[in-house]
Amino acid sequence: MSDDLDVLLNTRGQTAEFGVNVTAALFDGAGRAVFACGDGTLRLREGDGYQTLQAHDGAVLALAAHPLGGVVTGGDDGRLCWTTDGEVREIAKFGAKWVEQLASFTGKGALIAAGVGKLVHLFNAEGKKLRELAHPSTVTGLAFDAKGKRIAASHYNGASLWFTASTAAPRVLEWKGSHTGVVLHPEGTALVTSMQENALHGWTLPEGKHMRMSGYPAKTESMGFTKSGKWLATAGADTLVLWPFFGGGPMGKPPLELGMGDGVIKRVACHPQHEVVAAGFSSGLGLMLDVPGEKVLPLCAPGRGAFTALSWNASGTCLAFGTDTGFAGLVNFAG
């Protein structure tokens, strides 16, 4: 059975064992796979192997694509770094405070945002600090909108929505409780947070109407909107839970559930071109799910550790994933 579930990995994949937990993964602007690890290293795909660079003294806590190439990272050593062309450069240092949240906008007017405690530090692409955005409690998630004009931050008792080019106070969206992550709808019509209490909370924009999405057996550690914005794909259950953001949804409409597996889904990644979602479970099972057709394709068999990282490249032709045991995989769908 394991061989059947590994067909895609065996026929189109390449794997590696890093020997330390993978904390994040992405593809940089050049299309190169980059894995961040708990020992402070970055593993950059080079040919048939990996280049290892020591980016932080301690774990890499956050990873984002740098607008000028390479990647930007945050660590528990209090440093914000830019790694490109085999060199690690320090952008800023925040003392003993961890750099736990990162977001970048790579379009016109490129921006980098770093969440450090209660502050979000906003930089331009060259690393010049533009502003500090203060919040009432520790920032737990960051997300730019599709045009880089606004940035959302989740925190205790809600979320704050800022205009990146303005010094005005943010719009504060309130809902009591601990909010642990945030996403913005591709068209800017909704903001959704994950919560400590195994639920999601959302607000319509600009109206601010509340949306409540509950019933999860575990915390939603990962979520994202599909390319069209029709569905919000979420982790936190033994199936992929997709909330409909069309036809008046999600309130009053049940979610679509696809791809049951062992354990709970820890990471989701929405395809950049199609209504397809990759999902990684706590058991190590990986699935690909075609939402319109409600079809499920195995990505990899369980048994290699819980998923901790999952990311598509820009064209959607390659998928990178990593687990808490240090297993890493790349699956190429081109050709």
Side-chain angles (χ1 to χ4, degrees), residues 60-237:
V60 182
L61 301 178
L63 176 71
H66 194 287
L68 300 181
V71 297
V72 58
T73 55
D76 59 11
D77 56 359
R79 298 168 65 232
L80 177 68
C81 296
W82 176 22
T83 299
T84 183
D85 298 327
E87 182 183 353
V88 180
R89 311 172 192 177
E90 185 178 290
I91 299 173
K93 182 160 177 62
F94 303 99
K97 295 182 178 180
W98 293 3
V99 184
E100 295 186 86
Q101 305 297 331
L102 279 180
S104 63
F105 174 69
T106 58
K108 183 180 179 181
L111 295 166
I112 298 166
V116 185
K118 298 179 182 180
L119 294 177
V120 172
H121 302 265
L122 196 63
F123 299 85
N124 66 13
E126 289 73 30
K128 177 186 176 182
K129 185 185 285 192
L130 304 175
R131 294 172 61 204
E132 290 183 0
L133 313 177
H135 299 83
S137 57
T138 299
V139 172
T140 56
L142 289 172
F144 283 104
D145 70 8
K147 296 181 179 179
K149 291 184 177 180
R150 296 184 296 179
I151 185 169
S154 57
H155 46 75
Y156 197 76
N157 286 342
S160 296
L161 188 59
W162 304 77
F163 281 101
T164 56
S166 170
T167 57
R171 179 177 182 183
V172 179
L173 301 165
E174 296 182 351
W175 185 260
K176 289 192 180 298
S178 179
H179 299 255
T180 58
V182 64
V183 290
L184 282 165
H185 190 277
E187 295 177 357
T189 55
L191 181 153
V192 179
T193 62
S194 52
M195 298 195 68
Q196 189 73 16
E197 58 188 71
N198 301 354
L200 308 179
H201 195 83
W203 296 262
T204 61
L205 298 174
E207 302 87 359
K209 181 181 177 181
H210 291 277
M211 297 177 282
R212 181 76 170 158
M213 293 155 275
S214 58
Y216 291 87
K219 294 175 182 60
T220 298
E221 298 180 21
S222 178
M223 57 183 174
F225 282 98
T226 59
K227 173 65 175 177
S228 67
K230 289 180 63 176
W231 300 95
L232 177 65
T234 65

Side-chain angles (χ1 to χ4, degrees), residues 278-317:
F281 287 74
S282 57
S283 64
L285 172 69
L287 298 177
M288 299 274 296
L289 303 113
D290 171 26
V291 180
E294 299 189 17
K295 297 177 182 178
V296 181
L297 179 68
L299 175 66
C300 61
R304 300 180 178 97
F307 268 68
T308 52
L310 188 60
S311 181
W312 291 97
N313 66 351
S315 61
T317 57

Side-chain angles (χ1 to χ4, degrees), residues 25-39:
L26 55 70
F27 292 85
D28 65 15
R32 179 169 58 174
V34 181
F35 295 87
C37 295
D39 61 355

